[in-house]
Amino acid sequence: MPKVSRRLLLGGAAAFPAAAALPAAAAPVPSGGTAARKPRDLSEELLDQWSEANGTHPLIPDISHAGYRGGERPRRPKVVAKVTDFGARPGSDSDAAAAFNAAVRYAGERGGGTVVVPRGTYRLDSPIWIHWSNVVLKGSGSDDTVLHFTKPLDESYRTNLQPSLQSRWSWTGGQIWVIAPERKAKSEAEDFAASEGWLLGDTLAEVGSASRGQRTLLVSDTSKLAGGDLVVLETDNPADAGVLRHVAGDVPGTRDYNWAAKAPQLTTGSGGQYIQYATLQWPVRIEAVLGNRLVRLAQPLRYDLRPSWPSRIRALGPTVHDVGVESLTIRNELRPMTIHNRHPGSNGLCFQAVHDCWADDVRVENCDLGFGFTTTKAVTLTDVAVGGRSAHHSFACRMQSHDNLVDGFEIEKFTVPLPDGALHHGLNLEGLSAGNVWRRGTMAEGTFDTHRAMPFENARTDITLTNNGRVGGSAASGPLFGARIAHWNIRITAGVPYAIDLADVAPRSITVGLQGLTAAGSGLPRDFQGDLENGTYQLADRPKITDLYSAQRR
């Protein structure tokens, strides 16, 4: 396919890159005689290319399957309890945490149901744990139901310091925490020092070679597989980092990058913070079993499967699914923000090692971490907000979290600004996470943050931001970007291109309709040298295709 990593510069000192030229095959063509048809908007041409590529477009991610059950509306169960039935009293000075957890347990142990939280403000001195599937915690509206947490996780649950004395509560954990009890117990037994990822079961089948975009796989045996199953496709990363180079787009610079020196834990599976990245783990639903040796997936493969990269289908171990949190505010006691990564865990809502869950109309105030995805699949957040005093991570998506959707969000102007020695990131992506989408958002604070360990195939689309946050991540965690990061119809009100314009740093990625910039360049360190083979289509006005996610869904 012709390369599209070229910019067309307009003349004049104040000029800024306009749309790059499309490959010849996609350029508008005359409709006959001397009259040519009106050229289509570049975003429409690009979407046509993506549609025709059937999951193999070199630059544009396939995000059409993001969200709860691939984009479905959540299934809300019937009401089975109210927290007031278990002793919670709005407006009381008494701790209601035990009552909330008892109500959740009551619903969970009966197969699920909705637990209602009537309007009012409730005091809670410790977290709410949702360990059961099919449980919904529902308030009367984020303006009417407030859960006031008086203590951070470091005080109410347990300390969680790394040997470096950085607190893991700076990027994971929640005052409402959706997690299987087995996953919680294993983390506690390991003092949170090992992988935070999935608990996996047996190998169900070995998988043969396949190409990115395929949905039908050849497997060793289908006797343990069934249509509708959510399984984990696990692929080993070899010593030459072949899998990592591949998900970085196989651009020339990936061959020169010193993977072992930069991030030995990514390739050897020993030591370091990211030990689980010796394998790529992608939960995917089996749509159908086709005889004794073939299965059809519910979505296209995101990467090749090759003979030198052994791959297998594994059972998903203990997990939680179909949990919802709705119509309430999580308010942390107002405490001064600490310096970077010493946060005690004044957090919001965390989903960990779970799938097909959601939150709707939820606001988090005075937080270190607002909303967290830690090894999740297909979680949807709709109409959510982060506000109050300055945050560390408003949104975090980490540890191989895939196909999550944040649809309609706001990061409000902080009521207490960042102190010296603190950072706010914004929309975080890290750790080989793929297929995640942020759309229809406004950000008075933060940036498009990438915390290394090479997230790939993600999109931020139809967002307005001031762009005043900072990108983070340990330099020992590998490259900032893998392939197919899309920033599409982004409006920057302060003119700052930092971390938004990716043409100089992200391999085989695409930016479309970046509006309001007064300069070019990401301001980020470059991991891969040479031609990154990416595409930049910058338009003076917003593109006709304003939202990549909804366009792909159509």
Side-chain angles (χ1 to χ4, degrees), residues 247-267:
V247 299
D250 285 315
V251 297
T254 62
R255 295 188 288 274
D256 300 328
Y257 184 80
N258 191 339
W259 297 92
K262 297 285 185 179
Q265 62 270 38
L266 292 181
T267 55

Side-chain angles (χ1 to χ4, degrees), residues 31 105 157 191 210 270 288 355 363 407 445 507:
S31 60
R105 175 182 289 275
Y157 173 36
D191 198 24
S270 60
H355 67 92
R363 186 171 185 270
D407 183 1
E445 307 280 357

